[in-house]
Amino acid sequence: MVLLRSTILRSFSADLWRGVLVNFRGVDPWVEMISSPIWVLGLVLAIASQNPSILRDPITVKDICWSIVVFSMISDKLWIVGHMLDREKRSGVLENILVSNIPLSIHTLSPIVVSMLWSLASLGIILITVFPILGVNPAPIDPVLTAIGYILSDIVAAGIAMLYAPAVIKLRRPWIFTTFFQFTLPLISGIIPQSYVPPEIRGVIALNPLSYPVEILRRGATGSSYIDVQIGEAFMISIAGIAILYMIGMLFLIIARRMIIKRGV
Amino acid sequence: MIEAEVKEFIVRDLWSITAIIILTYVFTGFLYIAGSAFGGSSGSLSTSSNIDPFAYRAVGSSIVVLSMMILSAMGQYIYSSMLSGRLEALLASPISLSAVLVVTAIPMMIFGLSIFMATAAPAIYIALSKYGVITAIESIAIIAIGMIPLFILGFLLSIAIAKLGSPVILNLSQAFIFTFSGALYPLIILPELLRLLPLSLPTYYIAEALRGLISSESQLPALGGVPRLLIVTLAYGSIGSILYRRFSRSIRGGVAA
């Protein structure tokens, strides 16, 4: 048992370091990180342009900024975690990883951690650039609640991307689906006020496990409430959502591994 | 050669073209839904402008998507040719590099125009119903002219990527074009200092000329934005030709030089 635990820990540690070194080596990731606040600024302004007078209301601008932070977090997870197996398939190393006997679920933890570090670094840059440019105080109303909401949102978003990863290797043009989800998933994850969306979509938002940690994050960051739920309740649903998502995700990865070994990549 | 490039570019990947059209609408829808949720559906974009807010966004999104596609395709052209060894083969062939670039640009222009017509359909429909076929043709002509400086911009980016030996600045350039295109939102909402950035990009002039054409209050379409677009096209053409001469001299001295 102890031997198995140390083997899993060693595999995870090796895989994590590989992920960090591959993704954060050289100038490229830093240039990419500089571009993320530019994308965020563009999205916030494009959304605000529907009614430019809201740019004079720092509370609404702060709400939009945090919504786009969530959008950016979901994008990172879909592209980094969701496309992980596909990248390895295309670079021809997926077979080697499968032969090495590391469970795909352990192997997936590395891009999850890397994508979380990536999103966190982007958030830091966004907080010190985009928020002041738009005249918004980046300080959250309740830092503890914001941190809890942020961590839970990040874990749930990574779980959703983990569910998506086995599907990506089967798709011929996965970028089409990822781009589609990149713009639709945030809309049903509580980044816009629930009162605005039609009743049918409200049902989808209520069923989406990502809506609840995003609600905790927003209440902590801006004080705004978009979903009618108690904080304690939102926390419990988030934890339950994480447990269910990761169990299904791991099951999908086990099935995907068996199918790949049986039928080939 | 044009036929070969058309086959390479358009026929090979009709699914991707269809996907780009659908995804542009998804992106426009995202901006429209999020914008209406935060700013209200009766926001000033709907009330003060003569153009339907969805059509306004469709024009902006189409221009931005088109620009990003051109930047991505042209930006990586020299670098990917270097990696695949195609660049040396082209330099050794009796065809001049400028002819190759123009021939590559033609199918991309056809591709870009088709994408624009499909993605900006709500705005083109308004132009058709308001002023008739002539205005729709004029808007297509504006896009065709506007694509020239975009190709030059893509070519300049391509030189930079080839010199750096990494396509890392591509994402940065696309982020810059996306945010400071001046096509997605009115310039007035940008902080004053940042307003200079869209003024240096062709996308702003394309959007201005197109929106002027379809949102004119008079019975005749307004062509006020066209002269400025032509001046920008000429300016980009001059800068592009100077840098192209320098680059073609240096590239013949060795690809990595």
Side-chain angles (χ1 to χ4, degrees), chain A residues 12-254:
Chain A
F12 173 61
S13 156
D15 223 50
L16 180 64
W17 274 112
R18 180 196 56 81
V20 170
L21 289 173
V22 166
N23 287 281
F24 289 94
R25 191 170 42 199
V27 189
D28 295 20
W30 306 110
V31 177
E32 297 259 347
M33 250 172 235
I34 292 169
S35 61
S36 81
I38 305 177
W39 287 108
V40 170
L41 178 68
L43 276 169
V44 172
L45 290 174
I47 289 169
S49 68
Q50 182 85 6
N51 187 356
S53 65
I54 59 173
L55 285 168
R56 287 192 290 273
D57 173 16
I59 297 166
T60 310
V61 179
K62 198 171 182 177
D63 274 342
I64 301 176
C65 285
W66 277 100
S67 293
I68 298 304
V69 164
V70 173
F71 171 90
S72 159
M73 178 201 283
I74 295 172
S75 297
D76 290 345
K77 301 295 166 295
L78 287 176
W79 288 103
I80 298 175
V81 181
H83 279 242
M84 167 203 70
L85 295 177
D86 184 61
R87 267 194 306 275
E88 285 163 352
K89 180 185 92 177
R90 284 172 205 275
S91 57
V93 295
L94 189 56
E95 287 89 344
N96 301 346
I97 290 162
L98 292 174
V99 171
S100 73
N101 256 345
I102 296 176
L104 274 185
S105 47
I106 300 282
H107 180 59
T108 314
L109 289 175
S110 158
I112 288 179
V113 176
V114 167
S115 68
M116 284 175 175
L117 290 174
W118 189 275
S119 299
L120 192 65
S122 301
L123 174 67
I125 301 172
I126 290 163
L127 285 175
I128 57 169
T129 53
V130 178
F131 281 67
I133 286 175
L134 294 167
V136 176
N137 179 6
I141 288 175
D142 184 340
V144 177
L145 201 58
T146 308
I148 294 170
Y150 181 85
I151 294 166
L152 289 174
S153 305
D154 223 8
I155 297 172
V156 175
I160 292 173
M162 192 170 138
L163 285 181
Y164 176 56
V168 169
I169 41 172
K170 296 295 282 177
L171 297 168
R172 206 168 154 207
R173 295 177 186 82
W175 66 269
I176 297 173
F177 295 88
T178 308
T179 313
F180 178 79
F181 291 136
Q182 188 180 355
F183 289 108
T184 48
L185 186 59
L187 289 177
I188 55 161
S189 302
I191 71 157
I192 57 170
Q194 206 189 25
S195 54
Y196 173 77
V197 295
E200 305 80 47
I201 307 290
R202 269 182 226 174
V204 179
I205 294 174
L207 283 174
N208 185 350
L210 189 51
S211 309
Y212 299 94
V214 169
E215 180 65 17
I216 299 174
L217 169 64
R218 191 184 22 260
R219 283 198 202 170
T222 71
S224 305
S225 167
Y226 289 177
I227 301 175
D228 189 20
V229 65
Q230 297 291 320
I231 283 292
E233 214 181 327
F235 182 76
M236 293 311 288
I237 297 172
S238 304
I239 297 292
I242 290 169
I244 294 168
L245 269 176
Y246 279 77
M247 272 197 293
I248 300 174
M250 284 179 187
L251 187 71
F252 274 18
L253 287 170
I254 292 168

